[in-house]
């Protein structure tokens, strides 16, 4: 870890991404879902971790189908991956953009009749993915729109038919079974077209939810897909913030904006170069923690834009010095723990991870 600090002298914080853990997570999910195929969702820049390095590692491990959210993300990923893997764009074509999908060999997910017409208008019978709504009222055809489509099929082939579960992280929720039934009925109207319903949590609802292809995102990156039970996935992310300054503070002295924290005893405060502009949630004010040389150090005061303060009184005084790294995410305090303290979900912690972090990618052992 001191190596990390000296390797990144300019960094306020260093984000380590374990590509080997991502590949291991993908293999575990693929094994659980088999014989269904396993795609990978790398939208929002690979949930904040870097779509290009993540997708390259997964493609080398055998993943052949990637999902992003937007056309821009699809174009960038096509450049990163080259010609081989399939890349699907979940939000589908906005008006006038169908030719760009074709030029970059991207599979659009068509979500409503307007997008279906847009794709037909682009000509040349390029394959597309169809999304049907099975109970989320977000994206996808209604049952009536699907019946009309099935009666008058378009000229182009369907690569897959997909839908998305609203409550998959709550296995006992009755909406899971009802969405599954509605999706199965929809897929039956498109015989021979591969069907895909499950994302990370849906994979753990069992084989009836797997259909032909599963589409995990968050679980690849170590977020627990089965909240309340032990996480079967490997942790992927470690985030280290660098100490900029350490001060000795008397009892009764305030720390940070709003004088919102007042020291209850004399102690040492370390200021670290990470803030809410880096995606470290302001909601962690007075709540989060870090770990310094293995000792838990509470986050005190408010999170500023570029700075955050920790009470390091309990840590070895030799360890708390400018340039030392405090673990903000890692084995002691994972993405889900930080999310719980911030009142959010791991997805938001990851996808907010800041652009200012220096990033280190650990390659899979076999690549
Ligand atoms: C984001 C997304 C996924 C992946 O979801 P996770 O819960 O991150 O696994 C799959 N399908 C669709 C349609 C999505 O929007």
């Amino acid at each position: 870890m001191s190596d990390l600090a000296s390797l990144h002298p300019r960094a306020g914080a260093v984000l380590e991404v374990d590509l080997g853990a991502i590949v291991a997570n993908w293999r575990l999910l693929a094994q659980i879902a088999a014989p269904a195929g396993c795609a990978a969702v790398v939208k929002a820049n690979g949930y904040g971790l870097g779509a290009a390095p993540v997708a390259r590692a997964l493609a080398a491990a055998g993943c052949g189908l990637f999902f992003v959210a937007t056309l821009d993300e699809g174009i960038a990923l096509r450049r990163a991956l080259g010609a081989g893997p399939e890349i699907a764009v979940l939000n589908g074509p906005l008006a006038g953009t169908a030719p760009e999908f074709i030029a970059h060999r991207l599979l659009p997910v068509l979500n409503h009749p307007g997008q279906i017409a847009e794709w037909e208008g682009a000509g040349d019978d390029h394959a597309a993915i169809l999304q049907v709504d099975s109970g989320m009222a977000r994206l996808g055809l209604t049952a009536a729109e699907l019946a009309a489509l099935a009666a008058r099929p378009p000229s182009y082939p369907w690569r897959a038919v997909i839908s998305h579960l609203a409550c998959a992280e709550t296995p006992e929720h009755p909406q899971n079974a009802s969405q599954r039934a509605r999706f199965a009925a929809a897929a039956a109207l498109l015989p021979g077209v591969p069907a895909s319903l499950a994302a990370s949590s849906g994979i753990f609802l069992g084989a009836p939810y797997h259909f032909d292809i599963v589409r995990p995102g968050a679980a690849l990156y170590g977020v627990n897909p089965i909240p309340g039970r032990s996480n079967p996935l490997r942790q992927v992310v470690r985030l280290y913030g660098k100490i900029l300054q350490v001060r000795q503070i008397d009892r009764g002295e305030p720390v940070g904006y709003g004088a919102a924290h007042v020291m209850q005893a004399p102690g040492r405060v370390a200021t670290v170069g990470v803030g809410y502009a880096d995606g470290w949630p302001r909601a962690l004010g007075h709540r989060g923690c870090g770990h310094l040389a293995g000792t838990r150090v509470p986050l005190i005061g408010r999170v500023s834009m570029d700075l955050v303060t920790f009470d390091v009184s309990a840590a070895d005084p030799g360890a708390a010095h400018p340039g030392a790294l405090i673990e903000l995410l890692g084995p002691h305090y994972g993405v889900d723990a930080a999310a719980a303290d911030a009142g959010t979900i791991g997805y938001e912690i990851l996808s907010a991870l800041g652009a200012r972090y220096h990033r280190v990618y650990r390659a899979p052992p076999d690549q």
Side-chain angles (χ1 to χ4, degrees):
M1 234 170 71
S2 51
D3 285 0
L4 259 191
S6 58
L7 283 171
H8 297 270
R10 299 200 312 277
V14 181
L15 179 70
E16 261 192 350
V17 178
D18 184 346
L19 295 173
I22 295 177
V23 166
N25 289 342
W26 181 77
R27 289 196 170 122
L28 176 67
L29 297 164
Q31 190 189 327
I32 295 169
C38 190
V41 181
V42 295
K43 62 194 180 188
N45 194 28
Y47 290 51
L49 303 189
V54 167
R56 279 196 209 104
L58 289 174
C63 181
L65 173 59
F66 294 89
F67 285 87
V68 294
T70 69
L71 175 57
D72 286 336
E73 290 178 351
I75 292 171
L77 190 61
R78 176 57 75 207
R79 287 204 182 103
L81 288 181
E86 292 181 288
I87 301 171
V89 177
L90 288 164
N91 290 0
L94 298 174
T97 63
E100 292 188 84
F101 279 77
I102 294 167
H104 297 280
R105 300 196 318 96
L106 303 172
L107 277 166
V109 175
L110 304 182
N111 295 303
H112 60 81
Q115 289 188 328
I116 290 171
E118 167 91 17
W119 195 244
E120 191 130 42
D124 276 0
D125 295 345
H126 294 280
I129 292 176
L130 180 67
Q131 176 147 223
V132 298
D133 178 24
S134 55
M136 226 181 152
R138 204 176 61 163
L139 293 176
L141 295 193
T142 64
E145 287 165 346
L146 178 65
L149 181 82
R152 199 192 61 80
S155 55
Y156 48 84
W158 294 121
R159 168 66 180 84
V161 55
I162 72 170
S163 192
H164 197 49
L165 294 166
C167 306
E169 77 288 358
T170 312
E172 65 281 10
H173 200 295
Q175 182 154 332
N176 292 318
S178 81
Q179 283 197 258
R180 190 201 163 276
R182 286 164 80 170
F183 180 63
L189 293 177
L190 303 168
V193 177
S196 174
L197 179 62
S200 296
S201 295
I203 292 171
F204 293 85
L205 294 176
Y209 288 82
H210 294 164
F211 292 89
D212 301 302
I213 303 166
V214 297
R215 310 184 308 270
L220 296 173
Y221 311 106
V223 172
N224 188 2
I226 45 173
R229 290 183 277 161
S230 83
N231 189 349
L233 283 321
R234 278 174 58 180
Q235 286 304 299
V236 167
V237 171
R238 290 175 188 232
L239 176 63
Y240 301 102
K242 195 177 284 175
I243 296 178
L244 304 177
Q245 183 168 348
V246 181
R247 337 174 39 98
Q248 180 70 41
I249 303 213
D250 285 339
R251 179 174 185 278
E253 279 198 61
V255 178
Y257 277 122
H261 179 85
V262 176
M263 294 297 279
Q264 298 304 305
R268 281 172 302 132
V269 175
T271 302
V272 166
V274 167
Y276 61 76
D278 299 296
W280 199 243
R282 193 168 176 278
L284 283 178
H286 314 292
R287 298 180 58 80
C289 69
H291 288 81
L292 178 56
T295 302
R296 185 181 185 282
V297 290
L299 192 161
I300 55 171
R302 294 185 186 162
V303 176
S304 309
M305 185 182 286
D306 319 295
L307 299 170
V308 61
T309 38
F310 294 91
D311 183 341
V312 296
S313 308
D316 171 4
H321 57 82
L325 296 177
I326 292 188
E327 178 194 304
L328 303 183
L329 290 174
H332 299 95
Y333 190 64
V335 169
D336 291 309
D341 280 348
T344 182
I345 54 176
Y347 294 68
E348 193 176 26
I349 298 289
L350 288 181
S351 60
L353 287 169
R356 297 192 292 197
Y357 298 150
H358 285 219
R359 287 161 182 251
V360 179
Y361 290 93
R362 302 271 172 236
D366 54 348
Q367 281 180 30

